[in-house]
Amino acid sequence: MNISLSRIIPAFEWLRTYERKTFSGDLTAGIITAILLIPQAMAYSALAGLPPEIGLYASIAPPIMYAMFGSSRTLAVGPVAVASLMVAHALSSITAQGTEEYLAAALVLSVMIGVLFLIIGALKLGFLTEFLSHPVMAGFTSAAAILIAFSQLTPFAGFETKLLFSDFVQEDGLKNIWQRINGTSLAIGAVSISLLYLAKKYLAGLISKIPALAPLAPGLSKTGPLMVLVLMTSVVMSYGLDQAAGVKVIGVIPEGIPSLSMPGFSFDIIEQLAPSALLITLISYVESVAIAKVLASKRRQKLEVNQEAWGLGFANLGAGFTGGSPVCGGFSRSVVNFSAGANTQLAAIITASLIGLTLAFFTPLFYYVPKTVLAAIILVAILELVNIKGFIKNLSYDKADGIAEGATFIAVLFGGIETGLTIGILISLSLHFWRSSRPHIAIVGQVGDTEHFRNIKRHKVKTYPHLLALRIDESLFFANASYLENFILNQVAANKEVTDVLIICSAINSIDGSALHSLEMLHEELAEQNVEIHFAEVKGPVMDRLKETHFFKEHQNGQVYLSTYEAFKELGAKGNPLFNDPEWSI
C-alpha cells in the first residue's frame, strides 16, 4: 500500500525517511527562497498584467501541491518571467488589463494549464518535452527576453501610458518619449539596476568573508532584490515621492491568505485561451524538466518526467482555485533553493508558509513599493536569457540548428509569441524530417584481414568490385525509403561489375511499411539486372518485419548474415579484392 501511495504522491517517500539532520537545510533554504520569491512574485505578476498579490497567491498553494506530487526534491515552483509574458499576451487578446474579466481569465488559464499537465501525466506524454529542441528554446527565450525588457520600459521610466513600438518610429518620437519620462522614477530604477548588478556580482564574496555565513553565501547572495526593494521603498515612503514626484507605487494589497474559489468558466473563454494554454504548458514543462534534471543529477536523485507533469498539473490547479497565476519551475529560484541547502520539498512548504504569513500580517509594508524597482528586478533577471554566444556556437557547429534558432528568434520578435513559437516548432520538426529523409549511407570495406569495416572515403580498406557493401546509419521509414532505393540503384548503375549488394543493418533500429515496400521494389529492380541483395547484422525487431516481405519468403536462403565479416568472407570469394588508399580523415 505504501509503495503504491508513494508512486501517486512522491512526498510520502521522503516523508517516511525524513531525518532531523536534514531539517536545518530545508529551513534555511525555505527562508532564503521566500526572501527571493516575494519581490520576484510581485514583479512577475506585474509583467503578466496582474495585481502584485496574484503573484504572491501563486506562491502559496502551488509550491505545496508540487511538493506533494512532484518528483524533484529541490525544484522551486512559482511565477516565472517567460510564462508571465505569455500569460500577458494570451489575456490581452481577450480583454484589457486591469479589468475583472482579465483577472478571471487568468484564473481560468491556470486551471486549463493544470488540466493539460494532468492529461500529459495520465497519458505518459513526457516525450513531448523532446519536440522543442534546444536551438528553438534558445531562440524563443532570447526573443522573449527582449519583449520582456521592452514591456518593462513603461514602469521603469514612469510613463503614464504604455510605451509602444510605434512611439519610436513616429515623427519626433524620441523627443515625445523623453518628455513623458518621470525623472524621479527613472533615477530610482537606474540606481536599483546598479545595486542589483553589484549585489549579483559582489554580494556572495562579501558574505563569504563572514565565517558564520560563508556556507550560505551562494543562497544569501540572491537576496539582493529584497534588500534593494526595502531600501528604495524606504526612500519613497520617507520623502513622499509618490505624491511629490509622481512615482508610481504598488498601493494597497489585500490582507489575508487566498481562499478557495471556483473560476468563472465559459466555453468562449476556454476556446480563446486553448492555443495559449497549450503553448504555455509545453514551454513550462520543458523549462521545469530541464531545471529539475540538472538539480537531480547533482545529487544522483531520480526524476520521473511523467510525474513532473502531475506535480505541475496540481500546482497550476492550486493556483487557479486560490486566485493565482500560472506557475512552473523557476531556474534562479530553484538554484537558490538548492544552493541554500534544500534537501526535500519541505523547503518549498516553508517558503509557502512564510509568504502566507507575509500576506496575512505584513501587506501594508508593500504600499510604497515603487513599480520601477519591480521593473528593474525583471530587467536584471532576464539579461542572461539573451544568449548571443550560444547562437553563434550553434550556427558554427550546425547550420540547421543555427537557422532554427535564428528563425524562431525573428518570428517571436516580429510575429508574436504564439505565432513565433509555432513557427519555431514547425521549423525544428521540418529540419528533423529533412535530416531523417537523407540518412548517412557509407560504402564500406574491410580493414586488412580484421573483422572491422569502415567507410571507404575515410580509411584504407579492402573492397571487391562485384560487391557493394552499404551501412545505413538511420532507421528506415516512409521519409527516407525512396532515398535509399535511389542511392543503391544509382550506385549499381555507375558500377557495372556489381552483382551483389550487401546492406549492413547494425544502425537500423526499426523499419515501417513504406520502407518494406521500397525494399521489395528494390529487390525486383535489382533482380532484373542480375544483382542480388543481402543483409547483415539485422536486429531482432527489424528481422521480424523483414520476414513479412514477399522476397524474403521466396528467397530466404543466403540473404541474411549474422555479421558483416561472414558476408564478406562468403560473397567476396566470387572475385579478387581491391585496395583503396584515401587521405586519412576522422
Side-chain angles (χ1 to χ4, degrees):
M1 182 67 177
N2 289 334
I3 294 177
S4 61
L5 281 176
S6 296
R7 289 178 180 175
I8 299 172
I9 307 177
F12 286 161
E13 183 177 349
W14 57 262
L15 283 171
R16 280 202 318 270
T17 59
Y18 197 83
E19 299 178 358
R20 184 179 298 178
K21 63 181 180 180
T22 62
F23 177 72
S24 59
D26 286 336
L27 178 63
T28 303
I31 294 172
I32 292 176
T33 305
I35 293 172
L36 170 68
L37 183 53
I38 289 172
Q40 267 193 358
M42 292 191 294
Y44 293 151
S45 186
L47 175 60
L50 297 165
E53 66 269 18
I54 302 302
L56 295 173
Y57 293 165
S59 304
I60 300 176
I64 295 175
M65 297 299 290
Y66 178 83
M68 300 300 295
F69 294 97
S71 64
S72 172
R73 297 288 182 94
T74 53
L75 185 70
V77 170
V80 298
V82 174
S84 296
L85 177 66
M86 296 181 73
V87 168
H89 182 269
L91 300 181
S92 297
S93 63
I94 295 178
T95 184
Q97 291 187 9
T99 63
E100 292 184 4
E101 291 79 9
Y102 190 92
L103 177 57
L107 305 187
V108 172
L109 183 60
S110 295
V111 174
M112 290 177 65
I113 293 171
V115 171
L116 286 172
F117 269 122
L118 295 184
I119 292 173
I120 291 173
L123 299 180
K124 299 185 183 301
L125 301 177
F127 65 87
L128 287 175
T129 59
E130 301 169 8
F131 280 92
L132 278 176
S133 65
H134 174 72
V136 169
M137 278 296 296
F140 168 74
T141 53
S142 293
I146 293 176
L147 294 176
I148 290 171
F150 185 81
S151 71
Q152 293 308 295
L153 293 180
T154 297
F156 182 76
F159 291 120
E160 291 292 335
T161 57
K162 187 176 181 180
L163 184 65
L164 302 173
F165 178 76
S166 58
D167 295 330
F168 288 91
V169 296
Q170 66 183 8
E171 187 177 354
D172 296 329
L174 293 177
K175 181 180 179 181
N176 294 331
I177 291 172
W178 179 256
Q179 292 174 347
R180 291 166 54 192
I181 290 175
N182 183 300
T184 307
S185 294
L186 182 61
I188 293 173
V191 172
S192 298
I193 282 186
S194 300
L195 293 176
L196 288 167
Y197 174 77
L198 292 173
K200 190 174 184 179
K201 191 169 185 179
Y202 300 109
L203 188 57
L206 293 174
I207 295 175
S208 63
K209 293 180 180 179
I210 304 174
L213 299 178
L216 301 177
L220 290 174
S221 64
K222 305 300 182 182
T223 60
L226 184 63
M227 297 180 186
V228 174
L229 189 72
V230 171
L231 175 62
M232 292 305 169
T233 300
S234 301
V235 170
V236 171
M237 182 174 61
S238 299
Y239 293 97
L241 296 180
D242 58 321
Q243 298 293 329
V247 174
K248 293 183 179 298
V249 296
I250 285 179
V252 177
I253 292 181
E255 289 187 82
I257 59 176
S259 57
L260 286 172
S261 61
M262 178 67 70
F265 293 98
S266 72
F267 180 78
D268 289 341
I269 292 180
I270 292 174
E271 186 178 23
Q272 292 177 59
L273 291 178
S276 298
L278 183 60
L279 287 177
I280 294 173
T281 301
L282 188 57
I283 291 294
S284 299
Y285 196 19
V286 172
E287 185 175 355
S288 300
V289 169
I291 298 165
K293 281 182 178 179
V294 171
L295 298 179
S297 66
K298 290 181 181 293
R299 292 181 180 172
R300 296 189 177 184
Q301 295 172 342
K302 294 190 300 181
L303 184 78
E304 299 291 340
V305 176
N306 290 311
Q307 188 64 42
E308 285 301 286
W310 285 102
L312 292 168
F314 283 112
N316 278 281
L317 288 180
F321 289 117
T322 58
S325 54
V327 298
C328 68
F331 180 74
S332 61
R333 193 180 311 132
S334 298
V335 170
V336 168
N337 190 47
F338 182 90
S339 302
N343 297 299
T344 68
Q345 283 294 333
L346 181 60
I349 297 174
I350 292 171
T351 297
S353 301
L354 291 175
I355 293 176
L357 289 173
T358 301
L359 277 168
F361 301 107
F362 303 110
T363 53
L365 298 178
F366 296 135
Y367 183 92
Y368 289 100
V369 170
K371 292 184 178 181
T372 183
V373 176
L374 297 181
I377 291 172
I378 293 175
L379 289 171
V380 172
I382 56 95
L383 286 178
E384 296 179 354
L385 295 180
V386 181
N387 190 358
I388 298 176
K389 290 183 178 179
F391 169 68
I392 296 174
K393 180 180 178 182
N394 284 334
L395 188 61
S396 61
Y397 180 75
D398 190 316
K399 288 185 179 180
D401 283 345
I403 291 171
E405 182 173 347
T408 304
F409 176 84
I410 294 172
V412 171
L413 204 58
F414 296 101
I417 290 177
E418 294 176 6
T419 301
L421 185 57
T422 302
I423 290 174
I425 294 173
L426 291 176
I427 290 175
S428 181
L429 292 176
S430 298
L431 288 172
H432 168 72
F433 280 115
W434 183 81
R435 287 169 171 168
S436 299
S437 69
R438 284 158 175 76
H440 178 259
I441 302 176
I443 300 176
V444 303
Q446 185 177 13
V447 180
D449 293 325
T450 69
E451 297 185 12
H452 298 284
F453 296 84
R454 295 293 184 269
N455 192 331
I456 64 172
K457 294 181 180 180
R458 295 176 177 269
H459 301 273
K460 182 178 181 180
V461 292
K462 178 173 63 177
T463 62
Y464 295 90
H466 71 281
L467 175 60
L468 176 64
L470 307 167
R471 188 189 69 235
I472 295 90
D473 297 331
E474 181 76 56
S475 292
L476 299 179
F477 67 116
F478 68 92
N480 61 21
S482 295
Y483 180 84
L484 172 63
E485 182 181 356
N486 293 333
F487 182 90
I488 293 176
L489 290 176
N490 289 336
Q491 288 295 322
V492 171
N495 298 276
K496 303 299 183 182
E497 296 179 75
V498 172
T499 58
D500 296 272
V501 173
L502 175 66
I503 298 179
I504 303 168
C505 305
S506 56
I508 299 177
N509 297 315
S510 62
I511 183 169
D512 72 357
S514 297
L516 286 174
H517 177 71
S518 292
L519 287 177
E520 288 183 332
M521 295 296 295
L522 178 64
H523 168 69
E524 293 177 5
E525 293 178 82
L526 291 177
E528 292 177 359
Q529 303 176 48
N530 296 318
V531 177
E532 190 172 358
I533 188 170
H534 311 270
F535 298 87
E537 302 185 31
V538 183
K539 295 180 179 179
V542 178
M543 191 65 209
D544 293 338
R545 301 300 304 275
L546 288 176
K547 287 179 179 178
E548 301 173 8
T549 61
H550 175 70
F551 76 90
F552 252 66
K553 291 177 181 178
E554 292 189 353
H555 306 284
Q556 279 188 326
N557 294 332
Q559 279 196 308
V560 179
Y561 295 90
L562 183 63
S563 67
T564 306
Y565 177 75
E566 180 183 323
F568 253 69
K569 186 176 180 181
E570 182 174 325
L571 298 174
K574 298 180 181 180
N576 297 319
L578 299 175
F579 292 89
N580 73 314
D581 191 8
E583 292 185 7
W584 189 270
S585 60
I586 58 173

